[in-house]
């Protein structure tokens, strides 16, 4: 009897405890909001939206977005009037049906997505497909003249399907996870990277599922579901997801795990799609994912970033995109932790007036260079959901505060601007489309308690269709991640889903009494079976078991030692490369080199760096030093070195300050940047690593290594000389360039002299940089200017140029430091050398292979034997003398035309048997392995492959408690009402 009382109502003690929790967490409202006051605030939001919407129509209607400071427009995501599509359902939400009908008619007449442009698959789906579907489902309420068959037919639905069909080629991958970019006309672009973010894989179920239910074409929902299940299969052993993944191989390329940028909407769609599409297995996945999130990421109601494999904290920051999480918890009925977490986020908002993109939890301040607020909606979205669930007026108070700060700090004469810095409230010339699609809509819904989008399915409108009578405009309305609402009731008017889970449900099993009885039985069974591990009766058994295990382990170790001594023997193994040349010595040397580099890296990582965070006062004291304060140049240098070695920078600050020069990535690759920002370092370590990069770039650019062709007679030998010079750089002291030229001119070629000059210049420049106190002062100044708003700080050089050169000659270089200095340049040279040797060997092989015979030979044998080696020789000659361009004779022109005709025939026959020259076949084979080919998209093949992949994920019977945390009847009244109203 007592348990029944708990299910039907909360006792007084529980209510009092809940009030104490809310008061202790600071989430109780201080104001009281009457119905009239809420309507006033609602109208203020309407005026805010109208001001921004009118500014877009007046100044940027032909562009994707408005630039609110200059009152013009620009294209961002695809040049298809993005803001107009994004804002369409907001017009209906606010009751502006006249403008809705005008804009919808304009889109129907104007929009053509058959364009040769590359677009983001993720953004196009959530903004364009989602916006068009939502507008289509709201057309009846807005008074649009509907064509027969609505909601299964309609011009906006056809536009949405047209866009979605153009996104389908992105899903043709080995795993079923989509590419990040697609060309609207030609499919996946050639050379497109296979790496995309986690959210870019798992954010399709709402839009594609809605499209499948309305059109009856299951391919959209199937590919979206397959992508989510494939992503789920690649999660880490502890149940976490990384940030970026290779969609072809399933390899994680970014191992940070969180609930913010790059991951967020995956979790959002697991919950929302489970309700919208009646797929409880998705909610089961969410609960499993949430268990790992709470275990590793949740720290005192904050959520931090951790390593996906070990769960250790890597980034103790709050990202503004994470503010969606309390709203998701409120949807599943878990409002208490949601209120505690959102109170943290609102505290950050009230501190600055806005949410910075990154907020350092440990430091209690916005991360440097991450203070921007692009008018994001996630926090007000969660506030709206939580207010609907709890009625806590503290959330209305926050909504009013948000409205005031937007009006005061973000408003311009033609719109609302991004806040470049939440500390200074400086504006930036951009108004993203989600300000009209999401931020304005959620604010409006917070104060408009009687809006039709709050309908929970209790009432709707009957609609006669060709097959039956269904209910529309009943809800519940499920918002996609761009706040485009999907009418859940309308999805069941068009086509019966072939996997309806309710056809076999016994509704009596889900009555409150039946659920309570089963719950009691499970609890009793668990209590009877449970025995504590520390039970006194089991101590003797456990002690004996431990002794037996230890005895068995020790016996096995003795057996291994005895058997190992008698069975060890030496075996000679011969190793050959792909050209049947002995490669054993090379393999051993490479292995030793890898082992030595790994030991060096491990030793570096094992070094414990004591955290000593740099402050502004430390830098002020550093810049106040003068040359007169030091007795000698060595004393000044020692002071600067000690200062830089004393203070550390955390990973978040290193990334935020952007000390890494962006042009280094174009030469050394992104791996160097990741290494630079990988772990906490002292200022000296950061400066030293940066100067190593600079020295390598000087060598690479000075020798022109990035512009070398892959073939040529002299190239392998030239690169060998470069490698030899880099290896010998450790034996070169700080000598003059004239001395170097005298040493090698008698025994070496002029080319070798030039190589040694470039390397020696870079080495001497690095040596000077290691004692260049002025450069170190400038490095510290960049940190100072990035972390403060002050300007006009002057640097007083502590050492002159003559003193720098003298100190550079005194500084000893360690052998390990010398060898590691040009490691990046050595890596690039070695790669180029191996490529050149491979091409050279292939040319030799091709000269020995006769050209294939053609089925229809129309040329004589002399012309047919003009193989690619001749073309290659001519090409090399042209590359060697690019400035000489004599006018070809008439005979040469005719010969060139004949040769071009032959090459055209060869290219047209690529892939066919007995056609094309050897070189063409080789190039085609290589390209197939290294680049994405533009192929004809076959929708039927994709659908069949997807269907087969989904067969192994057959539905299983799920326990009902997966639907909600504390109140199982919540989903009964929410999800089942549309199907079985008589049962309730």
């Amino acid at each position: 009897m007592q348990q029944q009382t708990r299910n039907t109502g909360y006792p007084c003690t529980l209510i009092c405890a809940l009030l104490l929790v809310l008061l202790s967490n600071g989430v109780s409202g201080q104001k009281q909001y009457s119905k009239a006051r809420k309507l006033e605030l609602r109208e203020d939001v309407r005026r805010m939206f109208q001001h921004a919407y009118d500014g877009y129509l007046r100044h940027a209607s032909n562009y994707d977005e408005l630039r609110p400071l200059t009152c013009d427009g620009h294209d961002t995501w695809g040049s298809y009037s993005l803001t107009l599509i994004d804002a369409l359902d907001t017009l209906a939400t606010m009751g502006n049906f006249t403008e809705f009908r005008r804009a919808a008619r304009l889109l129907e007449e104007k929009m053509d997505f058959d364009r040769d442009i590359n677009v983001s698959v993720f953004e196009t789906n959530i903004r364009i497909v989602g916006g068009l579907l939502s507008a289509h489902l709201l057309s009846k309420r807005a008074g649009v003249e509907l064509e027969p068959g609505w909601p299964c037919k309609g011009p906006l639905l056809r536009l949405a399907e047209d866009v979605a069909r153009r996104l389908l080629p992105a899903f043709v991958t080995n795993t079923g996870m989509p590419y990040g970019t697609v060309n609207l006309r030609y499919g996946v672009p050639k050379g497109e990277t296979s790496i995309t973010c986690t959210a870019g894989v798992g954010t399709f179920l709402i839009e594609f599922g809605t499209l499948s239910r309305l059109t009856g074409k299951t391919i959209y929902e199937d590919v979206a579901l397959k992508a989510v299940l494939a992503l789920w299969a690649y999660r880490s052993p502890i149940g976490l997801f990384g940030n970026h993944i290779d969609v072809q191989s399933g390899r994680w390329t970014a191992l940070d795990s969180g609930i913010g940028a790059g991951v967020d909407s995956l979790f959002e769609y697991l919950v929302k799609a489970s309700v919208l599409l009646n797929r409880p297995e998705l909610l089961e996945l969410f609960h499993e994912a949430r268990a790992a999130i709470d275990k590793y990421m949740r720290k005192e109601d904050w959520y931090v970033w951790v390593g996906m494999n070990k769960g250790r904290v890597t980034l103790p920051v709050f990202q503004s995109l994470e503010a969606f999480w309390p709203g998701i918890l409120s949807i599943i009925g878990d409002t208490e932790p949601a209120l505690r977490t959102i109170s943290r986020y609102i505290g950050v908002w009230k501190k600055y007036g806005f949410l910075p993109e990154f907020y350092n939890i440990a430091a209690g301040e916005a991360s440097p260079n991450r203070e921007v607020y692009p008018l994001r909606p996630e926090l007000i979205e969660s506030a709206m959901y939580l207010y609907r669930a709890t009625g806590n007026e503290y959330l209305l108070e926050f909504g009013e505060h948000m409205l005031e700060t937007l009006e005061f700090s973000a408003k311009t004469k033609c719109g609302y601007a991004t806040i470049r810095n939440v500390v200074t409230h400086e504006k930036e010339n951009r108004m993203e489309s989600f300000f009209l699609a999401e931020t304005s809509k959620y604010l409006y819904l917070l104060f408009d308690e009687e809006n039709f989008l709050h309908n929970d399915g209790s009432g709707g409108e009957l609609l006669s269709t060709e097959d039956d009578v269904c209910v529309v405009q009943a809800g519940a309305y499920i918002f996609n991640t761009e706040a485009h609402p999907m009418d859940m009731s309308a999805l069941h008017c068009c086509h019966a889903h072939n996997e309806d889970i309710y056809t076999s449900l016994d509704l009596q099993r889900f009555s409150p009494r039946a659920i309570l009885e089963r719950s009691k039985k499970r609890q009793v069974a668990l209590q009877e079976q449970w025995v504590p591990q520390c039970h006194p009766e089991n101590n003797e058994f456990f002690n004996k078991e431990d002794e037996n295990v230890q005895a068995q382990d020790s016996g096995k170790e003795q057996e291994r030692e005895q058997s190992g001594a008698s069975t060890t023997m030496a075996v000679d193994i011969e190793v050959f490369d792909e050209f049947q040349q002995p490669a054993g010595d090379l393999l051993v040397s490479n292995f030793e080199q890898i082992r030595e580099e790994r030991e060096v890296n491990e030793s570096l990582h094992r070094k414990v760096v004591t955290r000593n965070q740099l402050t502004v006062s430390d830098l002020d004291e550093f810049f106040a030093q003068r040359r007169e304060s030091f007795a000698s140049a060595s004393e000044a240098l020692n002071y600067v070195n000690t200062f830089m070695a004393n203070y550390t920078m955390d990973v978040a600050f290193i990334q935020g300050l952007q000390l890494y020069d962006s042009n280094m990535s174009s030469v050394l690759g992104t791996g160097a940047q990741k290494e630079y920002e990988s772990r906490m370092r002292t200022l000296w370590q950061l400066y030293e690593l940066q100067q190593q990069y600079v020295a390598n770039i000087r060598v690479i650019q000075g020798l022109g290594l990035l512009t070398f062709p892959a073939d040529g007679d002299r190239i392998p030998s030239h690169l060998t000389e470069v490698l030899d010079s880099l290896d010998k750089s450790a034996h070169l002291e700080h000598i003059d360039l004239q001395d170097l030229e005298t040493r090698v001119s008698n025994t070496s070629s002029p080319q070798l002299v030039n190589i040694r000059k470039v390397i020696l210049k870079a080495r001497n420049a690095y040596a000077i940089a290691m004692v260049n106190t002025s450069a170190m002062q400038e490095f510290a100044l960049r940190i100072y200017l990035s972390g403060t708003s002050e300007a006009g700080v002057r640097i007083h050089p502590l050492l002159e140029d003559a003193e720098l050169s003298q100190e550079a000659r005194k500084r000893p270089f360690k052998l390990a430091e010398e060898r590691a200095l040009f490691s990046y340049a050595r890596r690039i040279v070695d790669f180029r050398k191996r490529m050149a040797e491979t091409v050279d060997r292939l040319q030799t092989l091709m000269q020995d292979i006769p050209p294939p015979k053609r089925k229809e030979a129309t040329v004589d044998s002399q012309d047919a034997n003009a193989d690619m080696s001749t073309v290659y020789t001519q090409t090399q000659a042209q590359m060697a003398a690019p400035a000489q361009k004599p006018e070809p004779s008439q005979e040469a022109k005719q010969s060139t035309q004949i040769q071009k005709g032959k090459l055209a025939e060869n290219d047209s026959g690529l892939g066919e048997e007995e056609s094309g020259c050897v070189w063409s076949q080789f190039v085609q084979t290589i390209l197939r392995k290294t680049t994405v080919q533009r192929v004809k998209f076959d929708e039927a093949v994709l659908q069949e492959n997807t269907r087969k992949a989904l067969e192994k994920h057959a539905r299983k019977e799920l326990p009902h408690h997966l639907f909600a945390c504390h109140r199982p009847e919540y989903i009964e009244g929410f999800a089942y009402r549309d199907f079985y109203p008589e049962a309730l």
Side-chain angles (χ1 to χ4, degrees), residues 6 54 71 185 319 371 409 462 560 585 712 729 840 928:
R6 290 177 182 173
D54 290 343
C71 292
R185 179 175 293 173
Q319 297 182 359
E371 304 98 339
S409 297
L462 290 176
R560 282 196 296 266
D585 295 338
S729 63
D840 185 56
R928 284 198 192 103

Side-chain angles (χ1 to χ4, degrees), residues 273-393:
S274 69
V275 179
L276 178 68
L277 305 177
N278 297 314
R279 288 188 174 274
E281 67 270 23
L282 296 177
L283 197 58
E284 181 185 18
L285 300 184
F286 172 79
H287 283 305
E288 189 173 342
R290 185 194 172 188
I293 290 171
D294 286 344
K295 180 177 180 180
Y296 296 103
M297 301 181 195
R298 187 177 178 183
K299 308 293 181 183
E300 298 180 356
D301 298 319
W302 294 99
Y303 291 86
V304 299
W305 287 77
V306 301
M308 66 175 293
N309 293 316
K310 300 294 184 181
R312 297 173 182 171
V313 177
T314 59
L315 198 61
V317 300
F318 156 62
Q319 297 182 359
S320 61
L321 284 170
E322 298 172 8
F324 83 100
W325 187 254
I328 293 300
L329 296 184
S330 70
I331 292 178
I332 64 173
D334 207 3
T335 57
E336 293 180 17
L339 280 170
R340 291 195 297 267
T341 297
I342 200 173
S343 67
R344 299 279 194 180
Y345 300 165
I346 292 176
V348 178
W349 177 283
K350 290 185 176 181
K351 180 176 182 178
Y352 297 106
F354 299 102
L355 274 190
E357 286 288 78
F358 280 40
Y359 177 80
N360 190 297
I361 300 172
E365 59 185 15
S367 298
N369 289 341
R370 294 294 189 273
E371 304 98 339
V372 63
Y373 171 67
L375 309 178
R376 290 201 184 279
E378 284 74 19
L379 186 56
I380 192 62
E381 173 188 5
S382 288
M384 188 273 293
Y385 279 123
L386 270 173
Y387 178 70
R388 298 296 303 170
T390 65
N392 193 328
E393 293 192 344

Side-chain angles (χ1 to χ4, degrees), residues 954-973:
R955 292 197 177 184
K956 57 183 179 180
E957 185 177 355
L958 300 175
H960 188 272
H961 67 269
L962 289 170
F963 280 105
C965 296
H966 303 296
R967 297 179 59 188
E969 63 271 21
Y970 170 75
I971 290 296
E972 291 182 20

Side-chain angles (χ1 to χ4, degrees), residues 44-45 97 123 238 303 340-341 431 438 493 568 604 613 615 694 748 783 827 851 871 955:
D44 289 342
V45 178
F97 297 141
E123 298 290 348
I238 60 175
Y303 291 86
R340 291 195 297 267
T341 297
M431 185 183 78
E438 301 185 74
C493 289
T568 303
L604 290 176
Q613 195 64 41
T615 64
V694 172
S748 305
I783 299 176
R827 187 183 309 162
V871 179
R955 292 197 177 184

Side-chain angles (χ1 to χ4, degrees), residues 36-73:
R37 178 55 180 160
K38 295 175 189 175
L39 292 178
E40 290 178 4
L41 293 171
R42 184 194 72 176
E43 294 308 307
D44 289 342
V45 178
R46 186 198 303 275
R47 283 188 288 271
M48 179 185 73
F49 169 83
Q50 200 63 43
H51 174 69
Y53 181 75
D54 290 343
Y56 171 75
L57 291 182
R58 187 177 300 113
H59 303 288
S61 59
N62 293 325
Y63 296 92
D64 281 345
E65 293 176 354
L66 168 73
R67 298 203 298 178
L69 298 183
T70 54
C71 292
D72 55 6

